[in-house]
């Protein structure tokens, strides 16, 4: 067979060499492609035809490489007629691409399956691991971590200053009423934590609990509450998160392995850990299981203490009906209202009692 004039790049020298390529086949696409120097006729390369592959190029040129040669080495033949003739002389080239495409498809299928398994492991495995890690964290560490996170939370919501706390007097009627409710709620609850409630002046209708027992209740959410039982329902729900240690569990699952390692090694006072936890608690959502457990705690508290837990569903529906920027960090965004939760709250018994006296509720409702 006549040779094909072309250029050869050996992958080591920048300047290509003029060459003549000849195909010597043994049938069924076996054989070799000989690349010889155009001037001297000396062998430059000998590539097995079965190991050749084409490199993408325009239709008027054919660029060939070999799986056993340098990745940068290539033979370039130009001219439509020459390209057609050389391609016809190398039937194994098409079969190589078919095998390569099959390998790519298999790789894509295996890679997609592996990604799916990784996603499932993350979605279902991380919460499970977080739950196990929580059991290993001493309550004192969780309290210290929560205190560090509280500093970050206050910095975020106050713009670096101090939070505008409502009615800071611990002996005021409003704070006394809240403290009595918290004490009754925690009675019989298996928790090592005390719960401290800070009512904060804010336009955001939100309430959340930090690990270790610190609860923030924003004034806009009090304004959304139709009565004291609604306030009590939300507060009991947040205390349920404290009792079940959901804040720590959520932070571990959200913030990742760095937070876990820091806690297990006892590094719970670092600024970065507090920042991670503070952001995780503000921006992430609790799991459906955690929300269900906190709702059950609120329902049980309503039965034991005596108030109408249906009001919790009412205030959630009220927030759900709101629109605009007030919902960006609302109670609804971090505690999603699902039909399942609504049905659960609506099915709970009505006690006929109330969490606060009318005077206590007036004090709480006007404390900001």
């Amino acid at each position: 067979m006549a040779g094909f004039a072309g250029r050869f790049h050996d992958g080591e020298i920048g300047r290509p060499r003029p060459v003549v390529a000849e195909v010597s086949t043994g049938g069924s696409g076996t054989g070799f492609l000989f690349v010889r120097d155009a001037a001297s006729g000396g062998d430059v390369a000998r590539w097995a035809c079965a190991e050749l592959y084409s490199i993408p190029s325009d239709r008027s040129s054919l660029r060939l490489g070999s799986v056993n040669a340098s990745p940068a080495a290539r033979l370039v033949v130009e001219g439509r007629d020459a390209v057609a003739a050389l391609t016809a002389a190398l039937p194994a080239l098409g079969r190589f691409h078919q095998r390569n495409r099959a390998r790519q498809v298999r790789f894509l299928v295996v890679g997609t399956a592996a990604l799916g398994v990784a996603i499932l492991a993350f979605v279902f495995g991380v919460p499970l691991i977080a739950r196990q890690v929580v059991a290993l964290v001493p309550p004192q560490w969780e309290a210290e971590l929560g205190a560090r996170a509280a500093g970050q939370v206050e910095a975020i919501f106050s713009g670096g200053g101090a939070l505008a706390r409502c009615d800071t007097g611990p002996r005021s009627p409003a704070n006394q009423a809240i403290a009595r409710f918290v004490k009754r709620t925690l009675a019989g609850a298996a928790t090592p934590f005390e719960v401290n409630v800070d009512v904060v002046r804010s336009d955001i209708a939100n309430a959340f609990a930090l690990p270790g027992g610190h609860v923030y209740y924003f004034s806009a959410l009090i304004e959304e509450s139709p009565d004291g039982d609604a306030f009590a329902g939300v507060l009991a729900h947040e205390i349920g998160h404290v009792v079940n240690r959901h804040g720590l569990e959520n932070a571990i699952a959200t913030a990742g392995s760095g937070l876990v390692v820091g806690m297990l090694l006892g590094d719970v006072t670092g600024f970065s850990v507090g920042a991670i936890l503070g952001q995780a608690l503000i921006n992430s959502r609790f799991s459906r299981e955690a929300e269900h457990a906190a709702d059950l705690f609120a329902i049980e508290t309503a039965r034991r203490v005596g108030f109408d837990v249906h009001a919790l569903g009412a205030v959630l529906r009220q927030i759900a009906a709101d629109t605009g920027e007030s919902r960006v960090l609302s109670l609804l965004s971090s505690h999603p209202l699902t039909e399942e939760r609504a049905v659960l709250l609506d099915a709970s018994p009505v006690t006929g009692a109330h969490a606060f006296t009318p005077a206590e509720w007036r004090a709480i409702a006007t404390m900001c």
Side-chain angles (χ1 to χ4, degrees):
M1 176 178 290
F4 299 91
R7 304 188 308 276
F8 184 76
H9 302 258
D10 60 10
E12 298 178 1
I13 301 174
R15 180 179 299 176
R17 176 185 300 185
V19 295
V20 174
E22 296 180 358
V23 179
S24 174
T25 62
S28 300
T30 62
F32 293 91
L33 174 68
F34 293 93
V35 182
R36 299 188 173 94
D37 185 272
S40 66
D43 285 348
V44 174
R46 186 180 69 170
W47 291 345
C49 294
E51 298 171 352
L52 295 176
Y53 62 88
S54 63
I55 302 168
S57 62
D58 59 79
R59 295 183 178 181
S60 63
S61 64
L62 178 64
R63 299 170 183 264
L64 298 176
S66 172
V67 295
N68 287 327
S70 167
R74 61 187 181 274
L75 170 68
V76 181
V77 174
E78 296 179 326
R80 292 182 180 272
D81 293 340
V83 167
L86 182 55
T87 301
L90 297 170
L93 191 62
R95 290 195 293 272
F96 176 88
H97 282 289
Q98 291 176 353
R99 292 193 302 271
N100 191 47
R101 280 195 295 270
R103 283 195 296 269
Q104 291 175 344
V105 171
R106 287 195 298 272
F107 177 81
L108 180 61
V109 171
V110 171
T112 302
L115 179 61
V117 170
I119 291 174
L120 289 175
F122 181 82
V123 171
F124 296 102
V126 169
L128 179 61
I129 294 172
R131 227 166 279 135
Q132 302 301 317
V133 172
V134 165
L136 301 176
V137 178
Q140 181 182 352
W141 288 12
E142 182 173 345
E144 293 175 3
L145 189 62
R148 177 60 60 179
Q152 292 300 313
V153 167
E154 298 198 10
I156 291 170
F157 281 107
S158 67
L163 279 179
R165 286 176 168 82
C166 302
D167 194 352
T168 58
R171 305 295 299 177
S172 70
N175 284 324
Q176 285 284 331
I178 292 172
R180 282 193 294 269
F181 177 81
V182 169
K183 184 177 180 179
R184 286 187 294 161
T185 299
L186 292 177
T191 178
F193 304 114
E194 295 181 359
V195 173
N196 299 307
V197 181
D198 266 337
V199 179
V200 179
R201 185 175 290 106
S202 174
D203 294 331
I204 301 171
N206 200 17
F208 55 89
L210 299 181
H214 204 132
V215 175
Y216 289 94
Y217 207 117
F218 288 1
S219 61
L221 187 55
I222 296 179
E223 296 171 3
E224 296 278 1
S225 302
D227 53 37
D229 286 349
F231 176 87
V234 173
L235 186 53
H237 178 96
E238 296 305 327
I239 294 174
H241 284 311
V242 173
V243 171
N244 289 287
R245 307 180 78 177
H246 292 150
L248 181 62
E249 179 183 312
N250 182 53
I252 292 172
T254 303
S257 59
L259 179 58
V260 176
V261 172
M263 287 187 302
L264 294 181
L265 295 179
D267 179 20
V268 296
T269 59
F271 177 85
S272 60
V273 171
I276 291 173
L277 181 57
Q279 292 283 5
L281 289 169
I282 292 171
N283 295 328
S284 62
R285 300 170 184 265
F286 282 114
S287 69
R288 180 182 294 268
E289 292 78 10
E291 288 304 316
H292 182 69
D295 283 342
L296 289 178
F297 184 88
I299 292 170
E300 172 58 24
T301 299
R303 183 197 63 77
R304 180 166 42 85
V305 173
F307 67 89
D308 184 8
V309 78
H310 295 146
L312 172 58
V315 72
L316 289 173
R317 288 188 179 91
Q318 175 61 38
I319 296 172
D322 289 344
T323 58
E325 297 180 358
S326 63
R327 291 188 55 196
V328 172
L329 282 174
S330 69
L331 180 70
L332 187 66
S333 67
S334 58
H335 297 49
L337 175 63
T338 64
E339 185 59 28
E340 182 179 308
R341 290 185 65 195
V343 169
L344 177 67
L345 293 169
D346 290 342
S348 59
V350 178
T351 65
H354 299 288
F356 303 99
T357 67
E360 287 175 335
W361 172 236
R362 281 196 301 271
I364 294 171
T366 59
M367 66 187 299
C368 292

